Amino acid sequence: MFSTNNMLSITNLQKKFGSQNVLNGIDLQMDKGDVVVLIGPSGSGKTTFLRCINFLEQPDEGIIVLDGEQFSVKDIQKKEISRIRRKTGFVFQNYNLFRNKTALQNVTEGLIVARKMKKTAAEKLGRQVLDQVGLSDRYDYYPHQLSGGQQQRVGIARAIALNPEVILFDEPTSALDPELVGEVLAVMRDLAREGRTMIIVTHEMNFARQVATKVIFLDHGEVVEEGTPEQIFEEPGEERTRQFLRSVSHRG
């Protein structure tokens, strides 16, 4: 089901908005099956970094190697961006579902339009992935008929239906009511156990401890510290990391 190539290498990724440096040369190395969790204060560049990986934002500098293919972001071509997007799934903070399409249609749209899959095959796969995220009784429901947690699980189903090499999660629970967070995190834990390769931006620190193979703490567009969950959460080496973790442990 998954490629045996090493997954993703990013070198010196940079992004400015006007005169503001948002990413100041981010590096990342991932192997197949890694779950990298990005933590850090709001405005630290986490979401921008994710969006630059699959060119929802155009990075200014850097090299991306994905599934053995190297891309220079500065002079990348549209067809190369298309190849990157075929290998990456994106789960958005605010779901980004088609409001006029059912759960099943939201999942099958990309399969039929982008992957040119026949409708019957796309619908069969769509039902399988909706079953996988616990929505076997919601195929024909429209987004307004679903809770936020159910909508986000449709978003996850849509991403995994495309069988990407890497799934990018942009704060997938931050728009949810607290009682709905658990159902989405449970699906993501299952994906991690399956061996899916994922990069997750989240403020859910206990979840990060449980699923991450690597935690990266970003601040002001730079990697302050990275390591295993044990290293980052129990024995962080940088004072800035310790300050951040103290602040989030005191919330609520």
Side-chain angles (χ1 to χ4, degrees):
M1 191 172 184
F2 302 109
S3 167
T4 56
N5 296 336
N6 74 342
M7 263 320 112
L8 180 65
S9 170
I10 296 172
T11 306
N12 192 34
L13 197 70
Q14 299 181 35
K15 175 65 179 176
K16 282 187 178 182
F17 289 122
S19 60
Q20 181 186 5
N21 287 322
V22 182
L23 300 177
N24 297 315
I26 305 292
D27 297 336
L28 173 68
Q29 306 290 328
M30 291 184 74
D31 293 327
K32 182 174 77 74
D34 278 351
V35 178
V36 172
V37 175
L38 304 179
I39 63 172
S42 296
S44 58
K46 305 182 301 294
T47 289
T48 300
F49 178 57
L50 273 198
R51 292 175 67 87
C52 283
I53 292 174
N54 79 337
F55 290 82
L56 292 170
E57 299 285 356
Q58 173 70 49
D60 299 320
E61 299 276 352
I63 300 293
I64 296 175
V65 181
L66 177 58
D67 197 25
E69 188 172 7
Q70 181 169 308
F71 306 90
S72 173
V73 305
K74 201 167 186 177
D75 51 13
I76 196 163
Q77 304 296 308
K78 283 186 177 179
K79 62 184 180 182
E80 295 176 312
I81 292 175
S82 294
R83 289 207 295 277
I84 288 175
R85 287 178 175 165
R86 286 180 70 89
K87 294 173 182 288
T88 54
F90 204 102
V91 177
F92 296 87
Q93 181 174 335
N94 292 308
Y95 327 134
N96 273 32
L97 301 180
F98 295 108
R99 309 306 297 177
N100 63 338
K101 294 184 183 296
T102 65
L104 182 59
Q105 289 168 337
N106 266 283
V107 172
T108 60
E109 179 79 5
L111 297 170
I112 295 168
V113 175
R115 299 291 170 90
K116 310 301 182 189
M117 188 179 286
K118 290 184 178 179
K119 185 179 178 182
T120 52
E123 288 182 345
K124 181 179 179 182
L125 177 55
R127 291 187 188 96
Q128 288 174 353
V129 294
L130 286 169
D131 292 352
Q132 187 177 343
V133 300
L135 293 174
S136 57
D137 57 346
R138 294 291 187 271
Y139 299 155
D140 298 324
Y141 282 57
Y142 289 88
H144 74 272
Q145 298 172 307
L146 300 171
S147 71
Q150 290 168 336
Q151 290 183 64
Q152 190 59 289
R153 284 187 279 154
V154 173
I156 294 172
R158 177 178 58 189
I160 62 178
L162 296 167
N163 197 26
E165 300 291 353
V166 184
I167 308 177
L168 311 172
F169 292 84
D170 181 20
E171 299 192 30
T173 61
S174 65
L176 299 178
D177 292 333
E179 66 268 21
L180 300 178
V181 168
E183 66 190 54
V184 172
L185 296 181
V187 169
M188 294 170 65
R189 284 190 193 94
D190 288 344
L191 294 177
R193 282 193 287 265
E194 270 184 31
R196 292 274 182 178
T197 308
M198 303 189 283
I199 306 177
I200 303 168
V201 173
T202 186
H203 293 290
E204 301 287 339
M205 297 298 144
N206 286 333
F207 172 74
R209 283 174 180 257
Q210 293 165 6
V211 304
T213 55
K214 181 190 292 184
V215 177
I216 297 177
F217 173 56
L218 285 178
D219 194 21
H220 293 102
E222 296 180 350
V223 175
V224 175
E225 189 168 359
E226 65 178 87
T228 65
E230 293 76 21
Q231 290 168 331
I232 297 299
F233 290 113
E234 294 173 19
E235 295 185 5
E238 299 293 329
E239 177 57 27
R240 182 67 189 93
T241 312
R242 292 193 286 273
Q243 289 174 351
F244 172 75
L245 293 173
R246 282 197 297 270
S247 75
V248 296
S249 70
H250 293 154
R251 288 179 195 164

